[in-house]
Amino acid sequence: MLAYVIRRIFVSIPILIGSTILVFIMVKFSGDPLEGLKMRNPPPPRQTILNEEHRLRLDKPVWEQYWLWLKGLVLHGDFGPSVHGNINIGHELGDRLFVTLRLVVLSVLIALIFAVITGVVSAVKQYSATDYSFTFLGFLFLAMPSFWFAILLKSAGIAYNQATGTEAFFTIGEKSVLLTDDSGWGQFKDIAGHMVLPTISLALISYAAWSRFQRASMLEVLNSDYVRLARAKGLRSRQVLVRHALRTALIPLTTVTALDIAALLGGAVITEMVFQWHGLGDYLLRSIRDHDAYAMMGWLLVSAIIVIVFNLIADLLYSVLDPRIRYE
C-alpha cells in the first residue's frame, strides 16, 4: 500500500508541472499586470515602471520567469512576487485554503450522506411514491444552476431575517467582523452560522447527481447473481443490503465523487462570490482581474493538489469497499 501511494505521488508530479506550464503561458499572454499603473493620470515616472517590471520579472524571457518561479517554490517555498507588493502569496493562500476547505469538505460529507441514504431507499423501493419523490427532488436540484440556487438561498435568508427581526441566517462573509462573544465557543458558533447557507447551496447541487448515480448503482447490484445467492442462503435482508450490496454499490460513487472534486472547487468559487467569502475562489477572481500571474499559479497548484489527494483517497477506499482489490 505504501509503495502504491509513493508511486501515485511521483506520477502526479509531471501532471502538476505540465498544468502549471500551460497556465503560466496562458496567463502571461492574457494581459499586462502593470496596465493599471501605466494608465494612471498623471503617469508615474518611467523608473517606477521599470522597477515594477524587474520586481515582477517581466524584463526576463517567459521560460526564465517560469524557471525562477519553479526553483523558488521547490527550494524556498516562495510562490513568487504578487502584483500587490505588500502581499505574500504563500501566506494568503494558506489563510484562504482553510476557509474554502471547510466549505468543500463539509459539503462533500453532507452530500454523500444524503446521496447514499436516498439512493439506497429509492433503489429498494423502486417505482414507489418515495422513489418518485426523491427522483423529483434530485432532478430539481440538478437543474438548478449553482449561482442561481445560492442567490435564492441568500435572498431567502435575508427575507427571513427581516421578517423576524433577528439574524438567524448569516448571508455575508465567512465570519463576523465584530463578535459579542470572542471566546473559542463563540467563534465556533459564529463560523458555523456563516457556513449554513453556503454549505447547503454547494451540497445540494452535488447531492442531486450523486443520489441518482447511487440509485442506479444500487439497482444494478441488487439484481446481481451474488446478491440473489446471498438471499437464497437465508441471510437477513438487512445483512444482504448492507454487507453485500451497499459496499459494492459504493465503489462507483467513490469514483464519481473523486472526479467531481474539481467541479466542487469551481462551484465553491461561485458560492464564495455570492456569499462574499474570502476564500480561494475570491482570491482567484481577484488574481484574474489584476492579471496576477503568480497568484493564479499558486491557486492552480493548491487546487491541483486537493484534486490529486481526493483521487488518491478514493483509490485507497476501493480496497476497503472491495476486499478483492489489493495494492501491492
Side-chain angles (χ1 to χ4, degrees), residues 228-294:
R228 285 197 291 266
L229 176 62
R231 288 171 176 165
K233 291 169 64 176
L235 296 179
R236 293 177 298 176
S237 299
R238 183 183 182 87
Q239 187 176 5
V240 173
L241 185 65
V242 176
R243 294 190 58 185
H244 296 272
L246 180 58
R247 286 184 62 178
T248 305
L250 285 176
I251 294 177
L253 180 62
T254 303
T255 304
V256 172
T257 303
L259 294 176
D260 284 350
I261 292 301
L264 273 172
L265 289 174
V269 173
I270 298 173
T271 304
E272 289 179 8
M273 181 177 63
V274 172
F275 290 96
Q276 300 178 35
W277 277 38
H278 297 92
L280 288 177
D282 174 71
Y283 192 59
L284 172 65
L285 295 177
R286 294 187 181 209
S287 303
I288 294 174
R289 181 195 63 195
D290 298 333
H291 301 290
D292 198 341
Y294 297 108

Side-chain angles (χ1 to χ4, degrees), residues 56 62 89 114 124 138 152 217 227 229 232 234 241 252 269 310:
L56 296 174
V62 174
I89 295 178
F114 280 97
V124 173
L152 283 181
S217 178
V227 171
L229 176 62
L241 185 65
V269 173
F310 270 91

